[in-house]
């Protein structure tokens, strides 16, 4: 789901820089770290880092990966998850070429911000019915909704940056990006939901003294 350099026009990534910078500044003000939880935040973020690097190819040229975003969001809160995943994505872009520099703001808006907050709110939406379903849906939403954002951003490139009908950046429109990006991620989102459910329950059991219901 990482967008590389050269796919996104300045008309899109320049406003995205302003939006992502504002979100990171807001996160800095919102976050209150518990010293006991810092090692766990670092550990789970490292797991997320590895999960994102394992890309699964899908017919049509799309690759998919798990994220671990919802695990951090449910355990530590969406603002910490947003900040942690933003750092993960920065390291991946700088050291591994996984995602671009110009597209970094869009990647963190989609995967870090939308992923963190969609999981948080989906958990709250379903928790009164079933806690297990709520955790699963949190994981599912953390993949599904970012994939929509990525598909839309890619798909509008021919509309916002073309010369005489020739796209200057990503060449395929929404009729291609929505099915090719979103549909595969519906299925990987199911796996993400199951991983989130098992991981959150395991970590809360193993670290009862750190997490309070």
């Amino acid at each position: 789901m990482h967008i590389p350099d050269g796919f996104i026009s300045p008309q899109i990534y320049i406003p995205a820089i302003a939006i992502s910078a504002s979100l990171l500044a807001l996160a800095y003000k919102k976050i209150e770290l518990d010293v006991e939880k810092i090692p766990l935040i670092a550990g789970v973020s490292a797991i997320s880092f590895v999960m994102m690097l394992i890309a699964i190819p899908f017919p049509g040229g799309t690759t998919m990966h798990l994220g671990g975003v919802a695990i951090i969001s449910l355990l530590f809160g969406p603002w910490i998850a947003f900040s942690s995943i933003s750092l993960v994505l920065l390291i991946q872009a700088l050291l591994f070429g996984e995602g671009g520099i110009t597209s970094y703001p869009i990647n963190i808006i989609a995967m870090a911000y939308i992923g963190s907050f969609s999981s948080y709110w989906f958990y709250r939406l379903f928790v009164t019915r079933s806690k297990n379903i709520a955790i699963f849906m949190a994981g599912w939403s953390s993949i599904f909704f970012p994939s929509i954002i990525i598909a839309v951003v890619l798909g509008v490139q021919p509309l916002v940056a073309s010369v005489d009908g020739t796209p200057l950046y990503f060449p395929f429109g929404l009729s291609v990006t929505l099915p090719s990006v979103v549909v595969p991620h519906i299925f990987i989102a199911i796996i993400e939901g199951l991983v989130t459910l098992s991981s959150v329950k395991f970590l809360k059991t193993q670290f009862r003294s750190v997490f309070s219901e």
Side-chain angles (χ1 to χ4, degrees):
M1 216 188 318
H2 298 64
I3 302 176
D5 279 321
F7 279 36
I8 306 299
S9 64
Q11 294 94 316
I12 299 295
Y13 72 68
I14 290 176
I17 291 173
I19 294 170
S20 61
S22 300
L23 291 173
L24 288 169
L26 183 58
Y28 178 78
K29 294 179 180 179
K30 292 277 189 180
I31 290 174
E32 295 181 4
L33 286 175
D34 184 336
V35 175
E36 290 186 358
K37 293 182 179 180
I38 292 176
L40 281 173
I41 295 171
V44 179
S45 298
I47 293 171
S48 173
F49 181 92
V50 174
M51 291 168 70
M52 287 188 183
L53 287 179
I54 303 173
I56 304 168
F58 191 85
T62 303
T63 60
M64 307 171 292
H65 58 76
L66 299 175
V69 179
I71 301 171
I72 306 174
S73 183
L74 296 184
L75 292 178
F76 308 108
W79 285 113
I80 290 178
F82 167 60
S83 301
S84 298
I85 297 302
S86 295
L87 179 58
V88 164
L89 292 171
L90 179 62
I91 295 172
Q92 289 179 340
L94 292 176
L95 299 183
F96 295 89
E98 190 74 17
I101 302 303
T102 57
S103 57
Y104 172 71
I106 297 160
N107 286 330
I108 69 170
I109 290 170
M111 287 185 276
Y113 183 77
I114 299 297
S116 297
F117 279 88
S118 64
S119 59
Y120 174 77
W121 287 110
F122 259 63
Y123 175 81
R124 296 194 64 176
L125 178 64
F126 286 95
V127 71
T128 54
R129 305 175 188 180
S130 167
K131 196 166 188 177
N132 287 343
I133 291 176
I135 297 173
F136 171 84
M137 290 303 299
W140 183 87
S141 67
S142 72
I143 293 291
F144 177 71
F145 289 106
S147 74
I148 294 177
I149 301 299
I150 295 294
V152 170
V153 169
L154 289 173
V156 299
Q157 294 311 305
L159 300 177
V160 300
S162 295
V163 175
D164 297 328
T166 301
L168 298 177
Y169 296 90
F170 191 77
F172 303 108
L174 292 169
S175 62
V176 173
T177 61
L178 284 172
S180 63
V181 175
V182 176
V183 172
H185 282 89
I186 292 174
F187 300 103
I188 198 72
I190 295 173
I191 300 174
E192 181 80 21
L194 295 173
V195 170
T196 301
L197 175 60
S198 59
S199 299
V200 168
K201 295 185 73 172
F202 173 78
L203 290 170
K204 283 196 170 184
T205 300
Q206 294 298 312
F207 300 95
R208 293 178 188 273
S209 61
V210 177
F211 298 109
S212 57
E213 294 295 331

